[in-house]
Amino acid sequence: MTHLPEQAVLVLEDGTRHRGRAYGARGTTLGEVVFATGMSGYQETLTDPSYAGQIVLQTAPHIGNTGMNDEDPESRRIWVAGYIVRDPSRVVSNWRADTSLDATLEKDGIVGISGIDTRSITRHIRSAGSMRGGIFSGDAAALDADEQLRIVQEAPQMAGQNLSAEVSVDAATVTEAVGEKIGNLAVLDLGVKQATVDNLAARGFEVHVLPQTATIEEIRSIDPVAVFYSNGPGDPAASDGHVDLLRSVLDEKLPFFGICFGNQLLGRALGLGTYKLPFGHRGINQPVRDKTTGRVEITAHNHGFAVDAPIEGVFDSPAGYGRVEVSHVGLNDNVVEGLRALDIPAFSVQYHPEAAAGPHDANYLFDRFADLVRENKDAK
């Protein structure tokens, strides 16, 4: 007897509906529906804390053929709110695989949907912008269409959400420096990835990953040579506490490096605004120009918000931190992809230099940070 696949439905807040097959766990999940353009690296995508609160659609049609392993997670768990794929692999074929993707999704309670036209949804989001959505499977798939839409429309918007507490560690952790030690580095965990910690330790930092609730007194207590703000989910406009903390760091002239969410928070600390992008940048194939060298890097992105700053020329920080310039620019849409303060030791980028996208086009930024810290120590 042939068993028909279990049905599932994706409902967007504008009333758009797509019927498909249940994938992963069964039930209901809600979140902001976004698309990621990477052709590979789905395990890294799923375990990136920056995707908390988001239902991720993979634009690559065939997902899951290399399974899941215990070596590649970017963090301690899967963070996506839901998962959308077109054609999940029926078999796992990779010598490093420990289990299958669908089994992992089911075990971790991640509700997904497969067998739908992901290209159509991607084009719709590109036109209408990212929006709230819901995946309904199991008993929830049989709910009335109007009831499903009501549930989606009552879900919180991504704008205005502070999600740092959901992804941050509860207690500080320490990773020893590799090689000659530069000093202690305070990392504010807003959704940090393990590859970032490893890259910083490899540059000689003793990496102290601190909870997002850390105060300036707690940062001072580890006698840091610098401070680092990680990537993470949420709206930077809803993180005033982290902005105030960063201003305390800048006031003390501690060297600072921020990535992704950290870039947006540096922008706000400098007195700049941030805004929500129509559909964001998510994938491992985003071209960015380093204005200092003129070099184009292929980079990994995961952000739905950006800094509002003039692309060309030097400008004064509205918050009184001296001269600032945009250091990196996204070539697809001229979005600010990096900031550099010229009168204090602080810089940031909007993308993820720890990710092997180009494959190592952006890794030099960790060296740039280590050099900045050494220069600052020598100048004292």
Side-chain angles (χ1 to χ4, degrees), residues 56-216:
V56 176
L57 178 152
Q58 297 278 181
T59 59
H62 192 54
I63 298 293
N65 58 312
T66 56
M68 300 282 279
N69 64 61
D70 296 331
E71 297 178 27
D72 293 343
E74 292 285 0
S75 65
R76 59 191 181 277
R77 51 165 282 197
I78 290 178
W79 291 102
V80 302
Y83 204 42
I84 306 169
V85 299
R86 177 161 187 156
D87 184 19
S89 178
R90 294 185 300 274
V91 296
V92 173
S93 181
N94 188 276
W95 65 274
R96 298 176 66 235
D98 297 306
T99 185
S100 66
L101 171 56
D102 53 337
T104 302
L105 294 172
E106 189 167 357
K107 176 177 68 71
D108 289 2
I110 308 301
V111 176
I113 186 171
S114 66
I116 59 177
D117 189 347
T118 50
R119 180 179 174 84
S120 172
I121 302 167
T122 301
R123 290 170 63 90
H124 183 59
I125 291 173
R126 278 185 59 90
S127 298
S130 298
M131 63 186 80
R132 291 167 297 176
I135 301 173
F136 301 87
S137 63
D139 294 340
L143 288 174
D144 181 78
D146 290 340
E147 174 68 4
Q148 292 172 339
L149 181 59
R150 182 192 65 78
I151 292 171
V152 169
Q153 292 177 340
E154 290 182 354
Q157 298 272 11
M158 181 58 73
Q161 285 201 63
N162 183 331
L163 299 172
S164 300
E166 292 187 18
V167 299
S168 182
V169 293
D170 295 324
T173 64
V174 179
T175 299
E176 295 296 328
V178 176
E180 185 178 351
K181 181 179 174 180
I182 298 176
N184 298 334
L185 174 65
V187 172
L188 193 69
D189 179 14
L190 304 170
V192 73
K193 298 197 285 186
Q194 187 59 44
T196 300
V197 174
D198 294 343
N199 269 283
L200 292 167
R203 266 66 179 189
F205 292 110
E206 181 176 291
V207 183
H208 293 247
V209 177
L210 305 178
Q212 59 91 28
T213 54
T215 63
I216 187 63

Side-chain angles (χ1 to χ4, degrees), residues 247-258:
R247 284 178 174 159
S248 297
V249 169
L250 300 181
D251 289 342
E252 297 195 7
K253 299 295 193 298
L254 279 168
F256 173 81
F257 179 26

